[in-house]
Amino acid sequence: MAWRNLGRNRLRTALAALGIVIGVVAICSLGMATVALEQQATAQLGDLTNEVTVSSGPDSDTDGVTEEQVEEMRAIVTDARVIPQKTNATTLEARNGMEARMSVTGVTDASALYDLTEGEAPERLHSGALISNATADRLGLESGDPVEYDGRIYRIRGFIESEHSFGFGGGDLVIPVSGLADQRHYDTVTIIAADGDAAGRIGDRLDTRFNAENDEELRVTTFGNRAQVGGFLDTLSLALLGIGGISLVVASVAILNVMLMSTVERRGEIGVLRAVGIRRGEVLRMILTEATLLGALGGLIGALVSLATGMVLFHVITGDATGALGWASSRYLVYGFGFAVTASVLSGVYPAWKAANESPVEALRG
């Protein structure tokens, strides 16, 4: 009987179900997009979160990190790679006359800091240079081409992935640290630990050793761990789900309106049912069943549309559409469907109560 009643006004039922579909798609798609962003962020920031960067603090007597401090760090940090760097800037000029202003990094252990698209980053860089892809493309440079810095010529040995050529320890041009010998101290020291938690512990040890309570000799910077990244994305997920939930609230109001209109239009029919012996509980169950069917129909369609949308989002963000099938993302389909059914039932409670408790005589008169 509930299914028949929904079919008596198909247009109104379809519009109410459409509101539910939109709400479910909103909440599921935003949740799945958050999972895709979290996976991509974890993949991209995974290398960064296990790094500790050390530079000269505001209370230091020198304008950089000294060789003695670097050696002391190596003595303290025995379970990670300590890589000191010197930095500067220069302007390179290509054969075609084009110029580019760029940063210069002097380092020995280049393999620990850089991923190359071509060539090999040696563990001990004593000759030659590495250059970022973006700069090489802009200046038309190829492997083996010479570049000049501070009057010395370096041959290009490899090309750095562009996303690894910026930030702490990065540089458009990487040369042996001996090329910046005129700089007495190191500008930064990068320590690469096993994971984010290990990086946090190393940062605490260095901070305890070099910095007193009110004296910051060295500035020790850690980039957090995966749990912190996940915590931020969990907060983002809750915010996005709240936005999607607003759509479901709007859909619930539409369902409430549909159920109220339906009971008003069928007031006389409900009065006849009550007059021939149908009890209040049966009327209540009938109208609540209509609301449940409406929510289940809209939730099912919304979940299917959300799955297709999620696969598109995963393909765009991570490049792997099958990631949408994992439980981390597909659980939002279950949440959206459950939310749709729950919201529909709650929206039908008042109309059902109103219809079930109306006097049969008053209902027939209406």
Side-chain angles (χ1 to χ4, degrees):
M1 184 180 290
W3 184 255
R4 184 206 66 184
N5 290 337
L6 290 177
R8 289 165 64 180
N9 196 326
R10 297 180 180 178
L11 178 60
R12 187 172 61 200
T13 300
L15 291 175
L18 179 61
I20 300 174
V21 170
I22 293 174
V24 172
V25 170
I27 196 169
C28 292
S29 299
L30 289 172
M32 297 174 81
T34 304
V35 175
L37 288 171
E38 182 174 1
Q39 291 183 3
Q40 187 69 4
T42 301
Q44 291 184 342
L45 297 177
D47 293 336
L48 186 60
T49 56
N50 67 343
E51 292 185 5
V52 180
T53 298
V54 182
S55 58
S56 179
D59 300 315
S60 175
D61 296 330
T62 61
D63 58 352
V65 182
T66 66
E67 184 68 40
E68 291 76 15
Q69 289 172 328
V70 172
E71 292 303 320
E72 192 168 355
M73 289 181 205
R74 289 196 172 106
I76 296 172
V77 181
T78 58
D79 53 348
R81 301 173 77 171
V82 179
I83 308 163
Q85 302 134 75
K86 296 180 180 180
T87 58
N88 209 326
T90 189
T91 299
L92 285 187
E93 181 176 354
R95 296 171 181 173
N96 55 13
M98 292 188 62
E99 292 184 348
R101 186 71 178 172
M102 66 190 63
S103 63
V104 180
T105 300
V107 65
T108 299
D109 191 355
S111 62
L113 294 179
Y114 304 104
D115 294 328
L116 303 188
T117 58
E118 182 181 338
E120 181 179 355
E123 290 189 5
R124 301 193 65 82
L125 182 65
H126 291 301
S127 63
L130 309 176
I131 194 168
S132 69
N133 272 326
T135 303
D137 291 341
R138 186 163 67 250
L139 297 179
L141 297 173
E142 298 179 354
S143 181
D145 284 349
V147 292
E148 182 179 351
Y149 173 74
D150 197 25
R152 298 180 63 178
I153 300 297
Y154 300 90
R155 296 282 178 180
I156 296 176
R157 300 182 56 172
F159 299 94
I160 307 169
E161 290 184 16
S162 296
E163 59 266 30
H164 291 89
S165 62
F166 302 98
F168 296 96
D172 287 316
L173 179 65
V174 179
I175 61 175
V177 72
S178 58
L180 287 84
D182 56 329
Q183 296 181 211
R184 183 177 178 184
H185 303 305
Y186 296 102
D187 293 284
T188 58
V189 178
T190 300
I191 301 172
I192 301 179
D195 52 39
D197 294 334
R201 292 191 295 269
I202 290 172
D204 291 339
R205 295 206 304 266
L206 294 178
D207 193 55
T208 301
R209 168 60 187 85
F210 291 103
N211 300 323
E213 184 176 352
N214 298 314
D215 185 19
E216 189 177 14
E217 182 180 355
L218 294 179
R219 179 174 285 115
V220 181
T221 305
T222 57
F223 296 92
N225 52 39
R226 294 179 187 270
Q228 291 173 321
V229 175
F232 166 75
L233 291 171
D234 286 342
T235 303
L236 176 62
S237 175
L238 290 176
L240 293 177
L241 290 177
I243 296 172
I246 294 174
S247 301
L248 275 182
V249 171
V250 174
S252 300
V253 174
I255 298 169
L256 175 62
N257 180 62
V258 167
M259 301 309 299
L260 276 174
M261 293 298 296
S262 177
T263 54
V264 169
E265 289 180 357
R266 291 153 45 204
R267 191 180 180 195
E269 175 187 335
I270 294 172
V272 171
L273 292 175
R274 292 292 312 282
V276 298
I278 297 297
R279 291 173 296 181
R280 289 180 178 179
E282 292 173 312
V283 174
L284 186 68
R285 287 200 304 272
M286 178 185 68
I287 296 177
L288 285 178
T289 302
E290 292 179 23
T292 303
L293 288 173
L294 194 59
L297 178 63
L300 180 61
I301 297 174
L304 294 175
V305 175
S306 298
L307 178 59
T309 304
M311 295 184 73
V312 173
L313 289 172
F314 265 83
H315 177 71
V316 172
I317 296 174
T318 68
D320 182 15
T322 60
L325 302 177
W327 171 244
S329 59
S330 61
R331 60 182 172 145
Y332 289 103
L333 303 178
V334 179
Y335 297 161
F337 179 81
F339 200 167
V341 174
T342 302
S344 299
V345 172
L346 294 177
S347 299
V349 169
Y350 174 71
W353 176 85
K354 181 177 177 62
N357 286 278
E358 189 169 16
S359 167
V361 175
E362 292 297 328
L364 286 170
R365 185 179 298 166

